[in-house]
Amino acid sequence: MKNIFVTSVILILAGGAYGQAQVPEATELYVDLEEITPGEGNEPPSDAVVLFDGSDLDEWQKPHEGFGRGSMQGLKDVIPGISYETSRGVANWKIENNEMVVAPGEGGIATRKMFGDIQLHIEWNSPVDEGKTGQGYSNSGVFLMGLYEVQILNSYENETYQNGQAGSVYKQHIPLVNASKPPGTWQEYDIIFTAPRFSEKGTLLSPARLTVFHNGVLIQNNVTLSGPTCYIGSPYYIAHRPKLPLILQDHSDPVRFRNIWVREL
Ligand code: MG
């Protein structure tokens, strides 16, 4: 029996080394790939879910009140019980000049659709306001799954802690470089997000990961997240659903947005 096994292994290895691999076709794969049309210029690709094209806020609503807690203590209490489908009303941000503008004090806005792994494109603009500094100068944020923040901030000649500047995974990962443009200029993030996986019992199987390009420059290279974003204290994972809404933050600054789309991966 053992000899048959050994002989088989030798024959298989020999076949691989001297048989199939001798012709190039042996290592060519043919599969049915979905065909999509890439966008021209600023257009989204044909398979994108367009979340904002300048016309209306129909894809957005007020997020459930459980989102946006600043500490793990707050998050820990709300994440398991949140009813994510519950609408708390329409998104009250403004549209001006085909751009979406944060309405300070109205709170963040959440997508009506829910997402897990995505590619996200979003363009944003910090208005010039020379009276502002640090975290107070055009702060907003992209919250993947409503929980994991890629910071939006004016970080052009505006000092703050580096793990809280534009393009940081807030308080978890400093961007590789500062690729910020001056305030008043349109900037873009292209984000690849891998959602965390949990077992049915709620244990973490694999953590969330993020890759971010800021104005075309790689600033986060497949970094591993420690848990949801929190302002105070150290993060840790709390099991949640495989799909949750994308949320944009109201941090009391009139940051502007345009051309937002995602591709589900
Ligand atoms: Mg923020």
Side-chain angles (χ1 to χ4, degrees), residues 135 138-143 149-153 164 170 249 251:
Q135 291 287 307
S138 280
N139 194 330
S140 181
V142 179
F143 278 74
E149 183 186 18
V150 175
Q151 174 71 304
I152 288 177
L153 190 75
Y170 186 77
Q249 184 186 40
H251 201 283

Side-chain angles (χ1 to χ4, degrees), residues 1-107:
M1 188 66 182
K2 190 182 172 190
N3 282 346
I4 292 171
F5 174 74
V6 171
T7 308
S8 302
V9 169
I10 289 168
L11 284 173
I12 289 165
L13 288 173
Y18 302 108
Q20 290 178 326
Q22 291 293 308
V23 292
E25 290 79 3
T27 46
E28 294 172 359
L29 299 177
Y30 291 84
V31 296
D32 286 325
L33 268 190
E34 184 186 353
E35 292 184 11
I36 69 143
T37 308
E40 293 285 334
N42 252 8
E43 290 173 7
S46 60
D47 63 343
V49 176
V50 176
L51 296 174
F52 181 67
D53 65 2
S55 53
D56 58 54
L57 295 172
D58 290 357
E59 291 289 334
W60 301 85
Q61 62 184 359
K62 284 187 179 172
H64 188 280
E65 60 191 334
F67 288 108
R69 300 287 175 98
S71 69
M72 287 309 303
Q73 189 58 42
L75 286 164
K76 161 171 90 59
D77 293 340
V78 294
I79 287 177
I82 279 177
S83 171
Y84 295 103
E85 288 89 353
T86 306
S87 172
R88 295 174 56 237
V90 297
N92 279 338
W93 289 12
K94 292 174 284 183
I95 295 181
E96 295 172 358
N97 192 32
N98 297 118
E99 299 154 16
M100 179 196 284
V101 190
V102 176
E106 280 293 334

